[in-house]
Amino acid sequence: MARERQLPRSPRLSRRSLLGGAAGAAGLSATAATAASAASAAATRTADVCVVGGGLAGLTAARDLVAGGRSVVVLEARDRVGGRVVNLKLANGGVTEGGGEFIGPTQDRLRALADSLGVATFPTYNAGKNLLYKDGKRTPYATDGILGSVPPVDAAGLANAAIVQSQLDGMAKQVPVDAPWTAAKAAEWDRQTFESWLNAHAVVPSAKFLLDVACTSIFSAQPRELSLLYVLYYIAAAGNESTAGTLERLTDTANGAQDSRFVGGSQQVPIKLAATLGDRVVLGAPVRSVVRSGGAYLVTADGITVTASRVVVAVPPPLAARISYDPLLPATRDQLCQRLPMGSVGKAIAVYDTPFWRADGLNGQAVSDTGVVRSTFDNSPLDGSYGALMGFIEGDEMRAYDAASTDDIRAAVLKDYANYFGDRAKSPTHFVVQRWDNEGFSRGGPVAYAPPGVLTGYGDALREPVGGIHWAGTETSTYWNGYMDGAVRSGERVAKEVLAAL
């Protein structure tokens, strides 16, 4: 694709990027294994540091390591950079974001990176009314009143939800973002699910609905799957060194985590960052093993082996665990990875000639208690030259459609869009869906979350290096864990760590 040609690649690496992934997924035949072995022997590199993963975390780490005077090779499994950040090409020549896309206040490191690369932002479309679709009823509501962006459920539900939100924010302030397992009440909070806590505190059904929607929208997981301690940590992490995190910042559009988007799509950031690294980035190279050999590490991927003094693994913990390590990782680290599942998420984007909902006084944002898509955004470009409705498919809803055809997903999504925005939503000019559960080098998103017992039992291993192997990725970030900003922060942190060790 044109957006990937900015990254210099030799003909040999281009060919491997086309062939390597499928062979690795299916298992190599004897003939293919022999060929791969010969390719590995021919394609060898030596560097101070080998970075596994060409998402924002790995690329940021590589940038800082190069700036620190170290040689680096980045091995990326896909035929593109960006990881869980990807632009999807549309039939009309435009692009839309298939993964992480928003940037908001206190996401300072992502902002600084984008600014340094000349990638501009623009406000997420937020003019007009939101929609609440509940109990089969469609209710437009303004977001500039006393309730802000909170959907207008019954008064008792609103009051209960406000109390619960205040409680969560207060509890989150007691959680250290660098070590949530050390909180005074960590053991108590980590032995219960978020759902069990909500059942005891969100006692009005409509309040429980609001908190359930917030949960699935943030984590792409159901409340029953999450540790209460993990949720509190995630709230605490939605800030920076001078600004406390809040649940409202996670859920809001204006002045919240969904405040702005990137001109040209969010993948412009990793694409331009990778371009500064040139042929240090190798695509189509899924890493299969990391082996210590004397004082160095041999990192073997499809078609290439890198010898390095240090290794940075910058992929989600569940995927990091699928790499073969010799010697074996400490049991605590491996057990941690076994216990951090990915959320279940997809994004469905319907494209129209115009953003017709704007003429109806709507901003394209809907919240629903039913359907396959239960939250939507206006994903139209800055100039509004065409309309795009984006919907999240999350948690149980995504799992229910993991094996469905694209046509079945399209029909279900457009039915929801018609319920929210009228019959004109039934007839898009183009439709795309990104199914992260079925993406071989992500297997879900947006983040690997912690069920009960994980943070207090295994959290110490999250960032702790194992010999010369270091860990990055948004899951390791202290602030904005699970977000693009967290990925950038983790790359900056691990680069300092490695530079100090070399």
Side-chain angles (χ1 to χ4, degrees):
M1 290 180 284
R3 66 179 182 274
E4 290 159 359
R5 293 189 187 124
Q6 299 178 50
L7 194 62
R9 288 184 284 171
S10 69
R12 172 178 56 77
L13 297 182
S14 295
R15 182 173 183 274
R16 185 177 70 254
S17 73
L18 294 173
L19 301 178
L28 291 170
S29 67
T31 302
T34 301
S37 176
S40 278
T44 60
R45 294 202 198 179
T46 300
D48 294 324
V49 185
C50 180
V51 176
V52 180
L56 283 169
L59 294 173
T60 299
R63 174 203 64 181
D64 289 1
L65 289 166
V66 170
R70 296 297 179 173
S71 57
V72 178
V73 174
V74 179
L75 300 178
E76 167 54 44
R78 298 175 176 88
D79 64 354
R80 62 169 180 84
V81 294
R84 285 166 273 179
V85 179
V86 62
N87 287 349
L88 303 178
K89 192 173 182 179
L90 301 176
N92 63 9
V95 297
T96 192
E97 300 93 335
E101 69 174 277
F102 298 111
I103 180 173
T106 74
Q107 295 185 3
D108 312 309
R109 303 317 304 153
L110 177 61
R111 174 73 65 182
L113 174 60
D115 288 348
S116 73
L117 297 169
V119 182
T121 62
F122 65 99
T124 301
Y125 191 81
N126 201 40
K129 294 183 177 181
N130 283 21
L131 280 174
L132 170 65
Y133 189 82
K134 189 174 185 296
D135 300 324
K137 181 182 178 183
R138 179 178 175 274
T139 304
Y141 63 97
T143 61
D144 55 0
I146 189 171
L147 297 178
S149 60
V150 179
V153 297
D154 57 275
L158 289 171
N160 188 197
I163 292 171
V164 169
Q165 179 173 314
S166 178
Q167 288 176 305
L168 289 170
D169 286 346
M171 294 158 68
K173 290 178 181 177
Q174 303 173 47
V175 177
V177 294
D178 59 341
W181 47 90
T182 66
K185 295 185 177 180
E188 173 188 339
W189 291 339
D190 203 31
R191 62 173 169 255
Q192 60 184 302
T193 65
F194 186 40
E195 182 173 62
S196 65
W197 187 88
L198 284 178
N199 287 340
H201 295 83
V203 294
V204 179
S206 55
K208 180 65 160 50
F209 157 71
L210 293 177
L211 273 300
D212 283 349
V213 169
C215 177
T216 53
S217 297
I218 294 167
F219 300 101
S220 298
Q222 308 300 134
R224 68 176 184 272
E225 299 175 294
L226 304 165
S227 157
L228 173 61
L229 176 62
Y230 177 72
V231 171
L232 296 175
Y233 155 64
Y234 214 80
I235 294 170
N240 59 18
E241 292 78 2
S242 61
T243 307
T246 66
L247 179 59
E248 185 177 30
R249 188 172 298 115
L250 286 169
T251 59
D252 273 1
T253 299
N255 297 314
Q258 290 69 232
D259 183 85
S260 299
R261 296 167 57 204
F262 292 95
V263 176
S266 51
Q267 199 189 4
Q268 285 294 308
V269 178
I271 287 173
K272 290 191 173 186
L273 178 54
T276 69
L277 296 168
D279 63 5
R280 297 180 182 89
V281 180
V282 181
L283 301 180
V287 170
R288 307 302 182 184
S289 65
V290 177
V291 177
R292 182 146 196 170
S293 178
Y297 288 88
L298 300 180
V299 182
T300 302
D302 289 2
I304 184 170
T305 296
V306 178
T307 301
S309 299
R310 296 274 162 167
V311 180
V312 171
V313 178
V315 298
L319 298 185
R322 297 181 187 185
I323 298 170
S324 175
Y325 300 88
D326 185 8
L328 290 174
L329 296 178
T332 301
R333 169 69 199 187
D334 192 71
Q335 292 282 324
L336 170 72
C337 293
Q338 291 182 42
R339 286 164 167 78
L340 291 175
M342 301 298 291
S344 298
V345 64
K347 292 180 76 175
I349 300 98
V351 180
Y352 305 89
D353 288 333
T354 63
F356 60 84
W357 50 92
R358 296 181 182 181
D360 296 333
L362 301 174
N363 61 19
Q365 296 174 48
V367 173
S368 176
D369 66 346
T370 189
V372 62
V373 166
R374 302 197 178 189
S375 62
T376 68
F377 284 87
D378 182 328
N379 252 42
S380 308
L382 175 59
D383 61 7
S385 55
Y386 59 87
L389 283 174
M390 181 273 286
F392 287 105
I393 310 173
E394 300 181 287
D396 285 347
E397 284 65 49
M398 186 69 258
R399 288 188 282 268
Y401 278 83
D402 274 343
S405 69
T406 299
D407 286 344
D408 287 344
I409 292 178
R410 183 182 190 276
V413 168
L414 294 183
K415 179 181 177 182
D416 291 339
Y417 289 179
N419 285 336
Y420 309 152
F421 301 105
D423 285 346
R424 284 175 290 182
K426 294 179 180 178
S427 303
T429 60
H430 190 48
F431 181 87
V432 292
V433 60
Q434 177 73 20
R435 303 161 74 171
W436 288 102
D437 291 25
N438 293 341
E439 224 290 344
F441 297 113
S442 293
R443 300 318 308 258
V447 65
Y449 63 84
V454 176
L455 289 179
T456 51
Y458 307 92
D460 281 334
L462 188 60
R463 290 182 294 273
E464 183 66 26
V466 176
I469 303 173
H470 303 256
W471 312 104
T474 189
E475 287 84 3
T476 71
S477 184
T478 52
Y479 289 104
W480 288 107
N481 186 291
Y483 289 76
M484 291 184 284
D485 186 76
V488 174
R489 287 174 183 270
S490 79
E492 293 175 338
R493 184 264 306 161
V494 82
K496 292 176 182 177
E497 188 177 283
V498 171
L499 288 171
L502 286 173

